[in-house]
Amino acid sequence: MRPLFRLAPAVLAIALALPANAQQIGTVASSEPTLRGTPPGAATRTLALGTGLIADETVASSASGRGQLLFLDQTTLSLAPNTTIVLDRFVYDPASGAGQIGLSLTQGALRFIGGTLSRQQEAVITTPTAAIGIRGSTALVLHHNGRTYAIFVAGRRMCIIVDGTRTCTSRQGGVLSEDGYLGAVSPEFLSRLLVLIDGLPRPGTGTGPGTGVNTPNPSERGPVSTIGEEFDPQIFEDDFTIDTIFEFLGSGGGDTGGG
């Protein structure tokens, strides 16, 4: 994937094929091979590099597609294949740094790297079975076969709300689901999930997964946000795996063990 730091700041002002009077809330920072977007009241369109994103737009990746979305507050979303989201809510005042961010994940997997807004209050990712609140953090969120899983990567706090019950974690690698806290993710699972979201690194362009913010900062890999978080894969010591998600997202590969 093309790293976001190579995009000029002016790309946020680019609006390609936007409906009239639409509110642009961000831009497509990478798309392999393409993403598809459906703005409210408009036809489905191709979301190429630099395409403006619209409030309430539905964004979907194909079985072989993935992409990165960069929002006006520097929040970054990276989508795995077979993933569909709706950009439900984005309000941002650059002068005060105040506003709200919320989206729906109907299927698939994504990585969220919080920008300015999630430092002020929780960003909310809603799935068909739960709501994930992310405060000043990086997290991976998955929904498949009626189940939601959220993995805390780094930052302040992540919570899951199910039927009014709220469970939170700030443990790096901690996994939340509808059943509450499940333990920490295995290194094998994390590695496979990051490959799904980022794609395989191009030869000679990087040495490992990362957000691309500080050291390590592999080129051509990982989302970049100026206020994102790094993580250390060695902290993921437990043996939590969800192999069925890989079958759905199309990664293939062998069994990583665990449950």
Side-chain angles (χ1 to χ4, degrees), residues 141-234:
V141 183
L142 306 81
H143 183 78
H144 175 55
N145 275 347
R147 298 282 293 173
T148 296
Y149 300 93
I151 303 169
F152 182 81
V153 177
R156 293 182 59 181
R157 185 185 66 207
M158 179 184 73
C159 301
I160 188 169
I161 303 95
V162 181
D163 297 329
T165 299
R166 184 180 181 91
T167 304
C168 300
T169 186
S170 57
R171 179 187 178 186
Q172 292 181 308
V175 181
L176 300 176
S177 80
E178 294 89 348
D179 299 323
Y181 181 75
L182 301 181
V185 74
S186 70
E188 293 83 6
F189 178 85
L190 176 68
S191 177
R192 292 174 65 192
L193 185 55
L194 290 172
V195 168
L196 272 176
I197 293 174
D198 293 335
L200 291 171
R202 298 175 186 176
T205 60
T207 59
T211 61
V213 181
N214 297 311
T215 303
N217 185 10
S219 61
E220 302 295 345
R221 173 156 196 169
V224 173
S225 174
T226 57
I227 50 178
E229 300 286 349
E230 291 292 342
F231 67 88
D232 178 2
Q234 299 303 314

Side-chain angles (χ1 to χ4, degrees), residues 83-102:
T83 296
T84 302
I85 64 172
V86 181
L87 307 176
D88 295 320
R89 184 173 65 257
F90 186 92
V91 179
Y92 178 51
D93 177 7
S96 66
Q100 293 182 321
I101 184 169

Side-chain angles (χ1 to χ4, degrees), residues 8-16 18 24 26-27 50 52 72:
V11 77
L12 289 177
I14 298 175
L16 302 179
L18 301 186
Q24 183 175 335
T27 192
L72 297 176

Side-chain angles (χ1 to χ4, degrees), residues 70-162:
L70 177 64
F71 295 87
L72 297 176
D73 75 323
Q74 292 293 297
T75 291
T76 302
L77 291 180
S78 298
L79 307 185
N82 281 323
T83 296
T84 302
I85 64 172
V86 181
L87 307 176
D88 295 320
R89 184 173 65 257
F90 186 92
V91 179
Y92 178 51
D93 177 7
S96 66
Q100 293 182 321
I101 184 169
L103 62 105
S104 298
L105 171 67
T106 59
Q107 67 174 10
L110 62 81
R111 171 169 38 193
F112 174 95
I113 299 180
T116 300
L117 290 179
S118 72
R119 290 190 169 189
Q120 307 299 323
Q121 60 181 318
E122 285 185 342
V124 179
I125 299 177
T126 303
T127 75
T129 59
I132 310 298
I134 304 171
R135 181 71 181 269
S137 302
T138 297
L140 308 175
V141 183
L142 306 81
H143 183 78
H144 175 55
N145 275 347
R147 298 282 293 173
T148 296
Y149 300 93
I151 303 169
F152 182 81
V153 177
R156 293 182 59 181
R157 185 185 66 207
M158 179 184 73
C159 301
I160 188 169
I161 303 95
V162 181

Side-chain angles (χ1 to χ4, degrees), residues 15-67:
L16 302 179
L18 301 186
N21 301 319
Q23 177 193 357
Q24 183 175 335
I25 61 176
T27 192
V28 176
S30 69
S31 180
E32 292 187 6
T34 57
L35 299 175
R36 304 288 286 176
T38 307
T44 298
R45 61 195 180 124
T46 296
L47 297 178
L49 179 68
T51 303
L53 299 168
I54 302 303
D56 295 317
E57 182 163 9
T58 298
V59 178
S61 60
S62 67
S64 60
R66 55 177 53 86

